[in-house]
Each structure stands twice: as C-alpha cells, then as structure tokens.
C-alpha cells in the first residue's frame, strides 16, 4: 500500500515516533510528507512523544569548541557519551569571535540559547541545524561595574519561548541597580519589567524550573535564591536547604532530572543539593559530594546531568568527566573529540523539530532546514 493511500492521521502517528535524523530524510519522500513533517503541530506532537519516551530527560549533549574561523558547535548522543564516548560532529556557527566569549545559556524543548558576545544571543536547534539571532536588548554597558546574566525558558500559558536578561550595575552614587528585560520569540522584541528588588546579582548562571527563572543573590544577609515567574512576572524567594554557610565560596543554581539544584562550592569539594518537590523547603536532598575539584581553581566544576543510577556528568570547563556519586569517584578517562580543539561550554538537550523562529510555521521548503548555522 503506497504511503499516500494511508490516512494522514495514521502517517502522523507513525512518523511522530521516529528520530529527528530519520524525519529529515523522509521529508524528501513526497510533498505531502514534507508538508506534514514541517508543520508546527507535528513538531509539538513529536516533542511530546520524545519527552514521554525519555521520561523528561535530555538525550543529547552539545559542545562549544574553538576553530580558526570562530566557534564550532558539536553534538553527540548522551547515551553514547555515558557508555562508549563516540562523538558526532555538529554544525559550525558564527565567525570572528573567541572561545571564552561563548556562553550556553540554557536548553528547552530542543532549542539551545547561547551567546557569542555580550548582547549577541542566538536560539539554535542543533537537531535540524537552524538558528535565529535575537535583536539587541538595548542595555548599554557603561563605565561602571556590571554583571549581565541570561536565562532561557518556555511560557506554557502563552506558548512562547522567552529570554531574560538581568543587568546589574552601580550608578554615579555607587548604588547597585538591577534592571531586567524579557525577550519574547512570538513578538521578537524585548520589554523591561520591574527590577530584581533588594539584591546583588551573585554569579552568572540563571536556570529555568517549574515555569520560573532562578538566580543566586546576596544582600546584607548570606546567599539566597530569587525566582521570577515567566507568566506572571512576579518575584519570589525560594527556601534553601540547611547547608554549611561558613565555608561556602560560591553558590550556583542548576537543573538535574528536571529539579532545581544548588551547587555549593567549598573550594575543596562541591555539594550538590536537589529540591525534589518544587517550592517545598523540606524536600531538599543532598545528592552528591564531588571531591575532585581542587585542581580546577579557575573553572568551577558544574554537574550538567545525572543518570538514574547516580552517575554525574561533570563539566570542568575544558573537559567532561563521569562521576560516581555512590562512592565519590570520577572516571579519569576524559573525553576526546574528533578534532584536538578544546571546548569551553557543554549543555544537554532533547532532539526535536521545534523551530527557533516563530515566523517559520506551516510548510517549509527543503532548503529552509539548512546544514549549516548562520548568523
């Protein structure tokens, strides 16, 4: 029975269960398949099935590398990395930049938000190798000290991908001010909202969990975590676990298994805390104590993934290691890429067909899903 003789709903049911790599090839089967696979509705159905299949966990790993032409981005299957360290080259993005300016901000539904320079932000889907450069936020970097941090999230209520920029600086009166702007993919524009009240932006990482952005902060009291709800644009404070404050060098936030996590850096070791029930202070659980960090004085090791059996993927800034949280040992075999170029950033994501441009909906021509990312 020819494919065109099957009811479309049956074809969609079958195709939506296939990997992205196969779907990209199947676009050339017929015009009707090209139209079906290119629809936003199909991308959403495929993503929903993939998330359910992976139990909400990522299935891929992306790397940022340097090259003679600028920044190279590569990816590999996460399961391959955890087991046999096989690597797959990804696409190359942008030129005329340096490695230490690359910043992988976050990943949602297969889209990765990254920055190659201050105020130069991209949304990138490595699975279909499509990208979009965001317009400038309008923040200007003056002569006073400042901290600029970004976060990437998804507004389920409005079906909109958003980027938040927090720009903290001191004014002429040496007063600390934190301005906040939010970018909407649907409107392709930034808007300024009420600033983060009464806190110093401490650290450069922002994570998205349970519909809200989260930052570490400091004021007259010790560290704390403030959240910003993406839909209501209201600020809240998140309860912290009972951790050792005295010897703490740095507090960072992260996401593991879909849960909000705290990474407490004590210089000699890194404690990993997980909030198993969002918003409930009593649900904080100490997940691991990473001991292998003393030799990395200039790069704070960051856990980026933890498996069901407790194996933690640690990003050390220039290498990745597998860490067994059950006995506090790390895999001394560091990853090796196909090329000898060191990488500076790494992030997990789930493969999807989600487009990084809200205007590119409906039917797509074959050439519109490129094999190379361009600015």
């Amino acid at each position: 029975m020819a494919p065109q003789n099957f009811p479309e709903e049956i074809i969609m049911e079958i195709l939506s269960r296939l990997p992205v790599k196969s779907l990209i090839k199947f676009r050339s089967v017929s015009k009707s398949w090209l139209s079906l696979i290119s629809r936003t509705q199909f991308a959403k159905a495929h993503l929903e099935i993939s998330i359910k299949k992976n139990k909400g966990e990522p299935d891929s790993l992306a790397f940022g590398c340097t090259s003679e032409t600028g920044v190279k981005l590569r990816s590999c299957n996460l399961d391959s990395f955890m087991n046999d360290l096989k690597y797959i080259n990804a696409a190359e993005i942008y030129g005329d930049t340096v490695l230490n300016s690359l910043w992988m901000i976050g990943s949602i539904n297969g889209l990765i938000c990254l920055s190659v320079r201050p105020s130069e932000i991209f949304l990138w889907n490595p699975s279909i190798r499509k990208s979009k450069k965001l317009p400038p936020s309008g923040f200007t970097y003056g002569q006073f000290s400042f901290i600029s941090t970004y976060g990437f999230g998804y507004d389920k209520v409005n079906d909109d991908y958003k980027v938040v920029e927090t720009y903290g600086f001191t004014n002429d009166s040496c007063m600390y001010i934190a301005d906040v702007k939010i970018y909407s993919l649907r409107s392709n524009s930034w808007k300024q909202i009420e600033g983060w009240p009464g806190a110093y932006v401490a650290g450069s990482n922002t994570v998205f969990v349970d519909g809200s952005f989260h930052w570490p902060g400091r004021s007259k009291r010790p560290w704390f975590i403030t959240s910003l709800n993406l839909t209501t644009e209201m600020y809240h404070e998140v309860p912290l676990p009972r951790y050792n404050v005295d010897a703490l060098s740095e507090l960072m936030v992260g996401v593991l298994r879909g849960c909000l996590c705290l990474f407490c850096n004590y210089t000699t070791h890194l404690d990993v805390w997980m909030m198993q029930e969002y918003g409930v202070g009593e649900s904080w659980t100490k997940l691991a104590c990473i001991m292998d960090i003393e030799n990395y004085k200039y790069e704070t090791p960051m856990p980026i993934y933890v498996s069901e059996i407790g194996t933690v993927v640690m990003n050390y800034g220039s290498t990745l290691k597998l860490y067994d949280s059950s006995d506090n040992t790390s895999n001394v075999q560091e990853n090796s890429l196909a090329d000898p170029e060191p990488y500076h950033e790494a992030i997990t994501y789930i493969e999807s067909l989600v487009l990084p441009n809200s205007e590119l909906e409906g039917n797509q021509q074959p050439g519109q899903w490129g094999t190379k990312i361009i600015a």
Side-chain angles (χ1 to χ4, degrees):
M1 193 173 183
Q4 59 267 27
N5 295 328
F6 281 98
E8 184 177 278
E9 57 269 22
I10 299 298
I11 296 176
M12 181 171 178
E13 185 71 18
I14 296 172
L15 293 181
S16 60
R17 283 167 165 72
L18 298 179
V20 173
K21 187 176 181 179
S22 298
L23 292 172
I24 293 176
K25 294 179 179 179
F26 290 163
R27 291 181 303 131
S28 60
V29 169
S30 66
K31 290 184 178 179
S32 61
W33 279 32
L34 170 62
S35 173
L36 174 63
I37 296 171
S38 301
R39 293 175 191 170
T40 302
Q41 179 186 0
F42 181 85
K44 290 181 178 179
H46 179 270
L47 175 64
E48 184 177 347
I49 292 173
S50 296
I51 291 175
K52 185 176 181 180
K53 177 183 176 182
N54 293 308
K55 300 179 181 179
E57 290 294 288
D59 57 20
S60 302
L61 190 62
F63 303 87
C65 310
T66 186
S67 73
E68 293 180 357
T69 57
V71 172
K72 275 188 179 180
L73 297 177
R74 297 194 175 104
S75 67
C76 72
N77 178 270
L78 188 55
D79 183 64
S80 295
F81 173 81
M82 300 288 288
N83 293 286
D84 53 21
L85 301 180
K86 291 180 180 178
Y87 291 88
I88 304 170
N89 283 341
E92 183 175 344
I93 180 173
Y94 207 66
D96 188 29
T97 188
V98 291
L99 179 63
N100 58 17
S101 67
L102 177 65
W103 182 4
M104 290 187 174
I105 297 167
S107 68
I108 299 286
N109 296 342
L111 293 180
I112 296 176
C113 182
L114 56 89
S115 174
V116 294
R117 284 196 181 115
S119 76
E120 287 193 32
I121 306 171
F122 291 82
L123 296 183
W124 177 50
N125 185 330
S127 304
I128 58 175
R129 299 187 178 184
K130 288 292 296 182
S131 69
K132 172 184 173 61
K133 184 178 181 180
L134 274 55
S137 67
F139 279 145
T140 57
Y141 302 94
Q143 60 180 333
F144 305 104
S145 60
F146 67 90
I147 297 177
S148 183
T149 182
Y150 297 94
F152 179 49
Y154 176 63
D155 183 351
K156 289 184 179 179
V157 175
N158 298 300
D159 188 22
D160 193 8
Y161 292 90
K162 296 181 178 180
V163 178
V164 63
E165 180 181 24
T166 301
Y167 177 60
F169 61 96
T170 54
N171 60 15
D172 294 322
S173 303
C174 294
M175 294 180 59
Y176 182 81
I177 299 174
D179 287 340
V180 179
K181 283 192 174 184
I182 294 181
Y183 167 83
S184 163
L185 181 59
R186 278 196 171 275
S187 65
N188 192 33
S189 62
W190 294 84
K191 71 172 183 179
Q192 187 160 351
I193 65 171
E194 180 184 356
W196 190 6
Y200 175 77
V201 181
S204 59
N205 69 319
T206 300
V207 298
F208 182 76
V209 181
D210 203 58
S212 297
F213 292 112
H214 300 79
W215 295 272
R218 301 188 75 172
S219 59
K220 294 180 180 179
R221 55 195 172 98
W223 298 84
F224 61 92
I225 304 298
T226 296
S227 69
L228 170 64
N229 185 280
L230 193 53
T231 303
T232 64
E233 297 178 358
M234 298 292 292
Y235 294 93
H236 301 278
E237 189 169 333
V238 178
L240 294 178
R242 295 179 179 178
Y243 65 96
N244 181 11
V245 182
D246 297 333
L248 184 64
S249 172
E250 184 180 11
L251 183 70
M252 299 165 290
V253 290
V255 182
L256 298 172
R257 297 178 186 167
C259 297
L260 178 65
C261 292
L262 291 184
F263 308 139
C264 301
N265 184 0
Y266 294 99
T267 306
T268 57
H269 65 279
L270 187 81
D271 284 347
V272 180
W273 292 83
M274 176 183 289
M275 180 179 265
Q276 296 184 329
E277 185 177 352
Y278 183 78
V280 179
E282 293 75 17
S283 70
W284 281 107
T285 301
K286 192 173 180 180
L287 188 67
C289 177
I290 311 296
M291 303 301 297
D292 185 28
I293 72 169
E294 290 185 276
N295 297 325
Y296 298 88
K297 297 180 180 180
Y298 303 105
E299 295 286 349
T300 300
M302 290 283 287
I304 61 174
Y305 176 76
V306 58
S307 69
E308 292 183 351
I309 62 174
T311 303
V312 183
V313 178
M314 294 290 297
N315 182 12
Y316 285 85
S318 59
T319 186
L320 295 182
K321 287 186 179 181
L322 300 181
Y323 195 93
D324 188 348
S325 61
S326 63
D327 60 4
N328 290 331
T329 61
S330 61
N331 183 351
V332 296
Q333 182 179 4
E334 300 176 358
N335 67 298
S336 56
L337 297 171
D339 294 330
E341 300 152 350
Y343 70 85
H344 199 259
E345 287 281 291
I347 197 169
T348 58
Y349 67 97
I350 187 169
E351 287 195 340
S352 80
L353 298 170
V354 176
L355 288 162
N357 192 331
S358 61
E359 298 174 357
L360 297 178
E361 298 184 348
N363 293 332
Q364 303 298 311
Q365 298 302 317
Q368 289 182 294
W369 282 3
T371 58
K372 186 173 182 179
I373 299 175
I374 57 175

